[in-house]
Structures are given as structure tokens and as C-alpha cells.
Amino acid sequence: MKDKKMKYDILGFCSENYTDCYKFSIESWLATNARKIYIYTDGWEGDTKDGRIVFVNITQKDTNWINNVGKKLDCILDYWEREDSIDNFCFLDVDNYITSDISEVFETIKTIGLTRIDLPHKTVSAGNVFLIKNNLSKKFLHEWKALQESHRESQNWPKDHWGVAYDQTSLHELTWNDINNTNEYQITSLVSKIWNCEHNIDKHWLDKIKTNKCKILHFKAHKWKDKKLVDEIKSIVANYDQTKNIVFIMNIKLNDSTGRYTSDRSLPYKFSINSWKYWCDTHNVELFVLEDLILPKEDMSICWQRYYLFDILEANDIDYDQILMVDSDTIVHPNCPNIFEMTDHKYTAVHNEGSYDWILRSIENYSKYIFQGREIKWWDYINGGLQIVNKNHKQFFSSMIDLYNNNKNKLIQMQDTYHTGTDQTPLNFMLQMNDVDTKLLPYEFNMTDMTRKEILNNDLTMTNVGWIYHFNALPDNHNSQKTMYWMKKTYEYFYGSLEKI
């Protein structure tokens, strides 16, 4: 089994007059999978038995807040030149409290990840900077340094403690200049409510933390000193894992002698289920496999029946936070990141990177015969074989069932006449027509149509470029022996031989 665990370091700057904040935050930093934690100081050094913490004296003592904010960039540049530095690292203000591991950030950024880009009324945050060590990010840091020095010399930043300091002013200008012009630095906007959760009003902040299961909490304005608030927040964070996420797979076993539902069609799916079982165990996720039809297949095809998802879970007394509904002809890489942590609690899927001729024909025919000529954006067209949803989407799934029941005969006729799929294109129409807030993950999280992309081969090239392998659109797609060959080969490459279940 291949081991590709992401390594990263955390940096922070803490002057001696902020050591109480360090003592508050460090327990949460140590609870992550960070390789090392570098605490840059003005001469003080903490007493710790944890060998991962490295204290670095970088400056003289200075209690002036405005002077000290400029030191964070010195910390980052010092780390860059250290012999023991690694490619993935982040700088966090010492008043940031981490609620769970943050390694998935480094799977989603190319150079730099920043927060508050998504909040146009605020400046980009200089207190949460995630970096991949390469030439572009190094150039970015030196340009940030030059701008920062220019602002400091001219002293044209707000002087008040609650204002924006010169480090943040310069980072904000550099970031938005790049976004609006060249996009040279390929900056990634990280969702602030997850990666830099803050609020001036405690009640609203608590509500945000409960709702969003935030990963990094910003205890600005000395909020870490409020014991009652801290205890309440820690109680909320401790309950994050009380409601599990679910992976939902349909493995309906039918005994038709011919056609789509022959008994041997489901044989390769055991490899899918076992790969997902391993992944679920790794990430403390519950696996639910549905083996029984909700309705006779003559009344509703199997693909459409998955939209009874919420009813099925509730009928089985299963509580949940998010649900990954994934096709049973997929295999997941054992080191696939936790994709539940990438959704921002939105309806999440992957753009369908397959035959665009098929996609456009399907959109055209469903538009004409089902959706009264409505048009949808093909570039936002998702593959229905991987969808991540939550309780906010119960009503939407009900509307999918209503769509089927109100158009059953037409839909069956469409599927039989034009061969442009079952539920997938109607799903895309409904998502766009209902303006469902959707997040698209990159191709590596649902690698469809791998044969056409020439990555499904005996070298298993696809295993080097992605995480979830979807064995659809194979030549002679209804030949279960071919599906069996590729799924078995991929499974055994990662997990070894699968004994009889």
C-alpha cells in the first residue's frame, strides 16, 4: 500500500507579553499532524517536553503591537532558508486555535492560500498564510516584503490597534492586484468561515462555529482570556465528531438473466465497497451500503432511487452531518484526503470530464422534452456518481423525486429513445434551475472516462494523478468482465488480495 501522507510545518510569532496566548493555542497546534511547530520569539523560550516545538529567537523585545505585526514576514523568510524546512508550511497568528488537522489545505493550493479574499468588506488576512515552497511563492514573499517596507517607511497605515497594520495592507494590495491582473501567483482563496472564523459578537461567533465546524478559530481581541467563552467553544468543538459523516453506496443485487441488471454486473462492486470501507475507517466515517430496492425497478430505475437517500438514513435511525453518495464502480486511493473537509458545507461534486458530445446531446434532448427549452451551463455540468450533500439538501432531493413522479413516462421514453442517461442530466438541470449553491472539486476526486484520457492502462497511470477512480465509460461498458478486470487490478495494487466476503 502506498503511503503519501502530507507533511507540513506550522510557524507562529509570539512576543513575551503574549505568552499566555501561546499557552492557550499551542495545545491545539500540537493536536494536529504537523511535523514541527516553529515559535519565533523576542528572546523568551517556553518549557516544553514535546520535541516538535522549535523556539527561534528572531528579534529584540518590543511590546508595540504595530512593530510586532511586521515580524511575521521575517519569520516566514527565515523558515524558508532553514535547512530543515519542508515544502508545505503555514504561518498562523498565535491567537489562532486549530480544531482539527489542516493537512488538506496543502492538497488544494498550488502556491499560496489566503483567507478573507471571499469577504470584500475586509482586508486579506496576514494571520493565516499557507504556502507551497516554490519559485512563485518565494517571489510573492519578496514582493510582499518590498511593499511592507514601503508602507512602514511612509507610515501610511491606520495607527490604531484595531486598524489595519502595514503588513496586512501590503498583503491585501499585492493579492488583489494579482487577482485582478496577471494571476501570476495562482493564489487560492480559502473559505474564511472555515479557515479563519471570527466575529465581534460572541453569540454570532458561537453560531458560526456550530454551523460550519470551523477548522481555525481566530480568538482576536484577547478572547482567549474569557474562560466562559473558551469553555463553551471547546464544548462545541468536542462535539464535532458526535455526528458522523456517511459514505452511501448502492449495491443492488438483481438476478435478471439479460440486460442492465444481470446478476454478475454487481460482482466487481465488492472491490469498491472494501476500498471505501478502508477509507471510512481511516477518517472515522460510517459506510452505508444499500442492497435492496426502494421501489421495483420497473417503477423507478436504480439511479433515480438514490434520491430517497435522506428517507433511507432516517428510516434506519442514522444521524449524519454530510453524506457522500458515490457510485459502486469507484475505487478510492487509501490516502485520499478527507473530502468532507473540502465542501464548505455546500452541495459538492466534480465537473463531468467525459464525452462532451454525449453531454451536449443529453442537455439538448432533456431541454426539449422535459424542461421546456431551458438551457444550462455545460461547463458546470457535474457527474452524478459522486455527490456530497447535507440536511440542507433534503428538500432538493424531494424535488428530484417529484420531478420523476410527474414526468415518469416521458423520462423512461427519453432514456430508451435517446440513450442520454437517466438521472444525471435532469439533476444538472434541477441544480442550476434552483440555483443550488454548489462547490466543484477538481477532477482527481472523480476520475471519470479514464480510457478516453489514456490513463487507464496496465501501468495504472491514473493512480499517480488522482484519488478516486470511476470505472465508467469503458469500451463495451456492459461487459462486467472488463469492469471486474480493472477494478480488481486497481484494488489489489493498493490493498492486496481480497478474500471472499
Side-chain angles (χ1 to χ4, degrees):
M1 189 180 296
K2 308 291 185 282
D3 185 9
K4 297 183 180 179
K5 289 184 178 179
M6 185 62 67
K7 293 181 179 179
Y8 64 93
D9 287 347
I10 301 175
L11 325 180
F13 174 75
C14 183
S15 57
E16 189 171 29
N17 60 316
Y18 255 58
T19 54
D20 57 339
C21 184
Y22 159 79
K23 291 174 182 177
F24 165 74
S25 298
I26 193 64
E27 63 175 271
S28 73
W29 294 19
L30 287 169
T32 70
N33 292 327
R35 185 195 68 127
K36 289 186 178 181
I37 298 169
Y38 290 82
I39 303 297
Y40 287 85
T41 75
D42 55 0
W44 72 274
E45 184 168 316
D47 179 20
T48 178
K49 296 179 181 179
D50 195 306
R52 289 189 295 160
I53 299 178
V54 179
F55 287 96
V56 183
N57 179 11
I58 198 172
T59 186
Q60 298 298 314
K61 285 184 171 54
D62 191 339
T63 59
N64 186 298
W65 179 82
I66 291 294
N67 289 338
N68 281 335
V69 294
K71 305 287 172 54
K72 63 187 64 176
L73 192 44
D74 295 334
C75 302
I76 295 172
L77 292 171
D78 176 85
Y79 175 84
W80 189 286
E81 300 300 330
R82 296 180 69 90
E83 290 185 2
D84 58 345
S85 65
I86 57 176
D87 288 345
N88 307 310
F89 66 98
C90 63
F91 178 91
L92 301 178
D93 279 348
V94 73
D95 58 359
N96 281 282
Y97 187 93
I98 306 172
T99 65
S100 57
D101 190 58
I102 58 176
S103 58
E104 69 268 17
V105 168
F106 302 101
E107 297 287 351
T108 61
I109 66 174
K110 294 180 179 178
T111 53
I112 302 131
L114 299 170
T115 63
R116 297 214 299 243
I117 295 174
D118 57 341
L119 302 176
H121 60 290
K122 291 192 173 185
T123 54
V124 175
S125 176
N128 310 75
V129 182
F130 299 82
L131 297 113
I132 304 293
K133 194 175 180 184
N134 56 37
N135 289 334
L136 271 183
S137 53
K138 186 175 184 180
K139 183 180 177 184
F140 178 90
L141 290 174
H142 284 290
E143 190 169 348
W144 180 12
K145 179 74 170 177
L147 270 175
Q148 177 174 292
E149 292 306 309
S150 174
H151 280 296
R152 179 156 57 183
E153 289 176 10
S154 62
Q155 297 190 8
N156 62 347
W157 69 89
K159 305 296 192 301
D160 182 75
H161 179 93
W162 304 108
V164 178
Y166 56 92
D167 68 317
Q168 198 150 277
T169 299
S170 53
L171 177 63
H172 182 84
E173 290 177 2
L174 174 59
T175 298
W176 277 106
N177 180 61
D178 185 66
I179 290 172
N180 291 329
N181 293 287
T182 62
N183 283 312
E184 175 185 8
Y185 295 117
Q186 303 176 55
I187 299 167
T188 300
S189 173
L190 301 172
V191 178
S192 299
K193 64 184 180 181
I194 303 297
W195 299 104
N196 187 11
C197 182
E198 58 182 347
H199 205 287
N200 292 330
I201 301 172
D202 292 347
K203 180 183 182 303
H204 295 330
W205 194 30
L206 292 169
D207 290 341
K208 285 177 70 173
I209 297 169
K210 287 178 183 177
T211 301
N212 300 305
K213 293 191 173 182
C214 316
K215 304 283 283 187
I216 297 179
L217 308 178
H218 188 180
F219 279 79
K220 62 181 184 179
H222 296 255
K223 287 179 182 286
W224 70 86
K225 294 183 177 181
D226 185 338
K227 186 177 185 306
K228 181 179 178 182
L229 176 65
V230 168
D231 288 345
E232 191 164 358
I233 288 174
K234 286 186 175 181
S235 176
I236 293 170
V237 171
N239 286 318
Y240 273 5
D241 292 331
Q242 295 301 308
T243 303
K244 285 193 174 183
N245 295 316
I246 308 290
V247 169
F248 177 91
I249 300 178
M250 296 183 75
N251 183 28
I252 307 300
K253 298 176 181 178
L254 301 174
N255 296 313
D256 292 13
S257 57
T258 60
R260 184 178 179 86
Y261 303 113
T262 55
S263 58
D264 63 346
R265 182 178 173 85
S266 65
L267 292 177
Y269 298 164
K270 62 186 178 182
F271 299 107
S272 173
I273 292 166
N274 273 268
S275 73
W276 282 106
K277 184 179 186 303
Y278 177 91
W279 187 88
C280 288
D281 290 344
T282 300
H283 294 282
N284 192 29
V285 172
E286 185 170 336
L287 177 65
F288 186 95
V289 181
L290 181 69
E291 296 183 338
D292 300 311
L293 288 170
I294 305 303
L295 298 170
K297 67 181 186 299
E298 292 79 14
D299 292 341
M300 179 181 281
S301 67
I302 291 176
C303 287
W304 277 99
Q305 294 188 37
R306 59 183 163 188
Y307 298 102
Y308 284 106
L309 168 70
F310 294 102
D311 299 315
I312 294 166
L313 293 180
E314 289 169 12
N316 285 275
D317 295 323
I318 296 175
D319 197 8
Y320 52 87
D321 179 22
Q322 299 182 88
I323 311 154
L324 166 58
M325 191 167 64
V326 65
D327 279 359
S328 49
D329 57 350
T330 59
I331 285 181
V332 59
H333 190 298
N335 298 130
C336 175
N338 190 342
I339 50 181
F340 289 111
E341 297 175 345
M342 302 177 184
T343 66
D344 305 330
H345 259 65
K346 297 179 180 180
Y347 198 116
T348 300
V350 176
H351 174 62
N352 196 95
E353 291 283 357
S355 168
Y356 286 101
D357 171 68
W358 184 92
I359 291 172
L360 293 173
R361 283 190 293 108
S362 185
I363 291 174
E364 179 184 1
N365 282 289
Y366 276 103
S367 172
K368 182 177 180 180
Y369 296 106
I370 302 295
F371 293 102
Q372 294 77 49
R374 292 287 297 267
E375 296 182 359
I376 60 172
K377 302 169 184 175
W378 61 266
W379 52 90
D380 287 336
Y381 185 100
I382 68 166
N383 180 273
L386 184 143
Q387 303 174 56
I388 304 175
V389 296
N390 58 61
K391 292 175 182 177
N392 294 326
H393 304 119
K394 288 174 68 174
Q395 184 56 48
F396 176 74
F397 270 37
S398 293
S399 70
M400 286 292 292
I401 297 296
D402 290 342
L403 174 71
Y404 183 86
N405 290 332
N406 294 333
N407 298 274
K408 176 180 174 181
N409 293 332
K410 281 186 180 180
L411 287 167
I412 293 173
Q413 185 179 11
M414 283 283 300
Q415 294 156 18
D416 293 341
T417 303
Y418 297 103
H419 306 290
T420 49
T422 53
D423 65 305
Q424 183 168 281
T425 299
L427 168 66
N428 278 275
F429 270 94
M430 292 291 283
L431 285 170
Q432 295 191 32
M433 288 167 56
N434 287 280
D435 198 24
V436 176
D437 192 6
T438 303
K439 178 168 183 177
L440 296 182
L441 297 180
Y443 175 70
E444 53 262 36
F445 291 100
N446 187 5
M447 299 178 65
T448 56
D449 217 349
M450 294 186 291
T451 303
R452 185 177 280 110
K453 290 180 170 52
E454 299 180 343
I455 55 175
L456 181 61
N457 50 43
N458 283 321
D459 292 330
L460 298 180
T461 300
M462 79 283 189
T463 63
N464 296 316
V465 293
W467 298 113
I468 299 173
Y469 319 108
H470 196 162
F471 296 88
N472 70 335
L474 300 179
D476 193 12
N477 194 38
H478 294 296
N479 185 338
S480 61
Q481 290 304 310
K482 285 192 174 182
T483 307
M484 170 69 83
Y485 173 80
W486 288 115
M487 292 186 70
K488 181 175 185 291
K489 184 178 180 71
T490 305
Y491 180 90
E492 291 181 347
Y493 174 73
F494 287 122
Y495 300 98
S497 177
L498 175 63
E499 296 296 328
K500 204 170 187 181
I501 303 174

